[in-house]
Amino acid sequence: MFEKTLTDLIQGLRANKRNEAEYIQRSLSEIQREVQLSDMHQKSVAVDKINYLHMLGYDMNWANFNVVEVMASPRFGEKRSGYLAAMQSFHQDTDVLMLTTNLIRKDLASANVMEVSVALDGLAQVATHELAQDLFDDVLAVMGHTRPYIRKKALVCACRLVGRYAEGLPEFVPLLKDRLDDPDPTVVAAAVSVVCELARTDPRSYLSLAPKLYRLLTTSANNWMLIKIVKLFAWLTPIEPRLAKKLHAPLSHLVSTTTAMSLLYECINTAVAGDIIDVQLPATDSVGREIDFAELCARKLEQFYESRDHNLRYVGLVTLAQLQARRPELVAAHYNTVMRCLDDPDMSIRMRAIEAISGMATRKTLVATVKRLMSQLVLSNTVALQPDSRAELNVESEMSDLPLINAAGASLVSAQGTIVPPKSDNTSDVADNPEYRLAAIDAIINMCSRQSYANMTDFE
C-alpha cells in the first residue's frame, strides 16, 4: 500500500496554502492509522511526519507510546527517528518515559557507536530525576569509551544528568578530572567546557582541578579553551587567593602576546576581578620591556574602547570602570577617550562611559566633565521649549557664567545665557532617554559631592 513520506507531506503543505488546516487534518488522520501498523518502517515514517507537524505547533502527545516503539527498533535509521521525536516532544511529565530506562541502557551498552551516540543525545534531552538516577552509572561507564566522539558526548550528557541528579556529582568529578588528561584534544576541550558550566554555580567544588587547569593554561594553543580556563580562574581566585601569584606570569604573557580580542578581554577581566594586578611582580610588554601588570592592562584596554565595534567598546568601558576602582591613577590617562564615548549614539556605551568618567573626576577635570553632561541635559529635546523660541532660549541666571560645550568643545551657551539648539541627531535622541538623564544627573551629584565636596574649588 502506498503511503506518504515526510517529503510528500512537506510538498503537500506547500501546495495547499489556501486550505492548509484541512490538509493537515487529513494528514493527521492518515498518520494515526499508520502508527498502528505492524510494519516498523511505516511506523517510523509516520513518527517523522508527526514530529514535523509538532514543530509547526500541533500536539503529538497521543503518539508518545508509538515513539517509544520506534526508539526500540533494531534498525538505526528508525531508532534515530524515534529518539529525535522523543527529544522534540517528551518533557518531565511524559508518562511513557518510565518505559525507556532499559531501552536507553541497552543502547548505551551497544557495540554500534551510532546507537550509543543517539542514546546519549536523547538521554541528555529527556532525562528526569528518576532516569538520571537509574542511568547515571551507565553514562559514567561510557566516558571510558575507545572513541573520542563518544567520550565527548558522554561528558556533556553527564553534565546534564548532574543538573537533574545532584547526588551524582561527587562520583562524576574524579572522572571529569581524568578527562582533562585525555590524549584527544577535543575531549579535553569538552571537559573544560563542562567544568566551566558546572563551576558557574559552585566553583569551590572544582578547586581541586586548578593544577590541571593551570597546566592547560600554559600549554594549550586553543584560544576558545583558554578563554574558558581563564574564566574559570576568575571564579577560583577569590576562593584561593594564592592562585593570584601563580597566575600572574601566564596571564601577563597572554595579555602581551595574544591577538584574539575575546581572550585578551577575559585575561584582563580575570586579572582585575581576581586582584592579580596587585601582585608585586613585573610583567613584560610586547617589546620585552618590564612594566607593571596593571599598567599593561590599562594600555591594552585602549584597543577596546577605541574600537569601532560597539561590543568591544562596551566591554572595554565596563572593565575600565572596574580597573578604575582599584588603580585610579592608571585610568586617569584615558580621560579624553572616555569623554568622547559620552557622545556615542549607542546608549549602552554612554551609560558605561558615565560610570567610568564619574570615578575619574578630579579638581582639574570636574568642571569640564560637568559641563559636558549638563550640555546634554539642557539641550535634550525633553526640555520644554516654546514653538517660537527654538532658535534662542534663556537659561537660568545661575548658569550664565558656566558656558556649556558640545562634543567638539565649542560653546553652546553664551555669556548672556542663551542657547542655540543643535540639529537633531542620534546623540540628542539618546540624551532624551530618561534612564540616561537620571544616570547623568546622579553622576554630576556624586562627582561634586564626593569626599565632602573636596573637588569643588568654587561654589559660586
Side-chain angles (χ1 to χ4, degrees):
M1 182 174 60
F2 177 77
E3 301 290 350
K4 290 180 181 177
T5 65
L6 176 59
T7 302
D8 295 330
L9 174 66
I10 296 173
Q11 290 175 346
L13 283 171
R14 294 173 179 174
N16 289 271
K17 290 293 185 181
R18 294 185 178 181
N19 56 343
E20 182 178 288
E22 180 182 347
Y23 177 80
I24 289 177
Q25 289 303 319
R26 290 200 309 268
S27 299
L28 284 171
S29 298
E30 294 173 2
I31 292 171
Q32 287 175 347
R33 292 194 300 270
E34 291 169 2
V35 293
Q36 303 301 324
L37 298 174
S38 58
D39 186 339
M40 189 58 69
H41 175 70
Q42 290 295 339
K43 189 172 292 191
S44 69
V45 171
V47 167
D48 281 336
K49 291 190 288 185
I50 188 58
N51 190 32
Y52 180 79
L53 293 177
H54 174 72
M55 291 189 289
L56 298 181
Y58 291 86
D59 179 59
M60 66 171 290
N61 288 332
W62 55 268
N64 285 345
F65 184 77
N66 305 111
V67 169
V68 175
E69 288 182 309
V70 176
M71 290 171 63
S73 173
R75 295 189 179 94
F76 175 71
E78 297 166 1
K79 182 184 293 290
R80 181 176 56 186
S81 296
Y83 271 102
L84 177 59
M87 287 187 281
Q88 290 285 99
S89 62
F90 286 7
H91 49 79
Q92 295 297 302
D93 297 325
T94 300
D95 52 3
V96 299
L97 274 174
M98 66 180 68
L99 304 176
T100 64
T101 304
N102 289 330
L103 165 63
I104 297 175
R105 177 177 287 123
K106 178 182 176 182
D107 289 336
L108 289 174
S110 173
N112 187 332
V113 174
M114 301 310 295
E115 289 185 356
V116 178
S117 174
V118 76
L120 289 170
D121 290 340
L123 179 59
Q125 292 295 324
V126 306
T128 60
H129 175 78
E130 291 76 16
L131 268 180
Q133 183 177 8
D134 292 340
L135 297 173
F136 193 72
D137 289 339
D138 298 89
V139 173
L140 295 186
V142 178
M143 287 176 58
H145 201 277
T146 56
R147 296 287 188 92
Y149 174 72
I150 297 300
R151 295 201 296 273
K152 287 190 295 181
K153 289 206 170 189
L155 282 167
V156 176
C157 181
C159 176
R160 296 293 296 269
L161 295 187
V162 165
R164 302 290 185 189
Y165 175 59
E167 294 84 351
L169 183 61
E171 189 178 355
F172 175 50
V173 171
L175 296 177
L176 179 60
K177 186 176 181 179
D178 292 339
R179 291 305 103 203
L180 292 174
D181 291 323
D182 197 280
D184 189 281
T186 62
V187 177
V188 175
V192 171
S193 298
V194 169
V195 175
C196 190
E197 183 66 26
L198 294 175
R200 193 185 305 274
T201 55
D202 182 23
R204 187 176 298 275
S205 297
Y206 305 93
L207 189 59
S208 61
L209 304 182
K212 293 194 174 185
L213 293 172
Y214 179 83
R215 176 182 59 78
L216 293 172
L217 178 66
T218 55
T219 58
S220 176
N222 184 335
N223 282 344
W224 291 112
M225 188 167 70
L226 288 174
I227 288 171
K228 293 175 182 177
I229 294 173
V230 171
K231 188 178 294 186
L232 275 166
F233 277 120
W235 300 330
L236 296 177
T237 303
I239 300 173
E240 178 50 83
R242 290 177 297 180
L243 283 173
K245 186 174 182 180
K246 188 73 173 178
L247 292 171
H248 183 277
L251 285 187
S252 61
H253 174 73
L254 286 173
V255 170
S256 299
T257 59
T258 186
T259 57
M261 297 299 284
S262 52
L263 177 57
L264 178 60
Y265 166 73
E266 289 296 344
C267 289
I268 296 175
N269 184 61
T270 298
V272 175
D275 292 327
I276 300 173
I277 56 174
D278 294 330
V279 175
Q280 300 301 313
L281 291 173
T284 305
D285 63 13
S286 55
V287 295
R289 295 175 300 186
E290 286 193 353
I291 185 175
D292 181 66
F293 190 22
E295 183 178 352
L296 177 62
C297 291
R299 290 183 182 180
K300 290 291 185 177
L301 278 176
E302 293 180 9
Q303 301 178 27
F304 288 88
Y305 48 76
E306 291 184 353
S307 170
R308 293 184 179 181
D309 187 314
H310 284 202
N311 293 326
L312 293 180
R313 294 169 74 179
Y314 179 88
V315 297
L317 288 169
V318 170
T319 309
L320 186 71
Q322 296 173 352
L323 181 61
Q324 193 276 333
R326 291 168 171 78
R327 300 290 291 272
E329 73 281 0
L330 296 176
V331 177
H334 306 279
Y335 173 80
N336 291 331
T337 302
V338 179
M339 284 287 282
R340 289 196 296 271
C341 291
L342 289 174
D343 299 299
D344 195 283
D346 189 321
M347 190 191 76
S348 62
I349 291 178
R350 293 179 73 164
M351 292 289 285
R352 300 288 76 78
I354 285 182
E355 181 182 348
I357 205 70
S358 63
M360 299 168 68
T362 64
R363 286 196 175 190
K364 293 182 179 180
T365 62
L366 179 63
V367 173
T369 305
V370 172
K371 283 182 179 180
R372 177 64 60 84
L373 294 175
M374 287 294 294
S375 68
Q376 295 175 346
L377 293 173
V378 173
L379 296 175
S380 167
N381 293 332
T382 60
V383 178
L385 300 176
Q386 297 297 327
D388 57 347
S389 62
R390 287 290 295 178
E392 196 169 83
L393 175 70
N394 288 328
V395 183
E396 297 292 338
S397 58
E398 290 89 343
M399 297 181 60
S400 61
D401 60 343
L402 184 62
L404 300 177
I405 58 176
N406 62 11
S411 176
L412 295 171
V413 182
S414 67
Q416 289 75 29
T418 60
I419 296 177
V420 180
K423 296 180 180 179
S424 178
D425 55 15
N426 291 336
T427 302
S428 63
D429 292 341
V430 174
D432 287 334
N433 186 286
E435 183 181 357
Y436 178 78
R437 291 172 60 79
L438 287 175
I441 293 170
D442 185 59
I444 291 172
I445 295 173
N446 288 337
M447 286 187 293
C448 294
S449 62
R450 187 173 297 142
Q451 296 179 351
S452 301
Y453 300 92
N455 293 329
M456 294 286 291
T457 58
D458 186 0
F459 286 88
E460 295 297 328

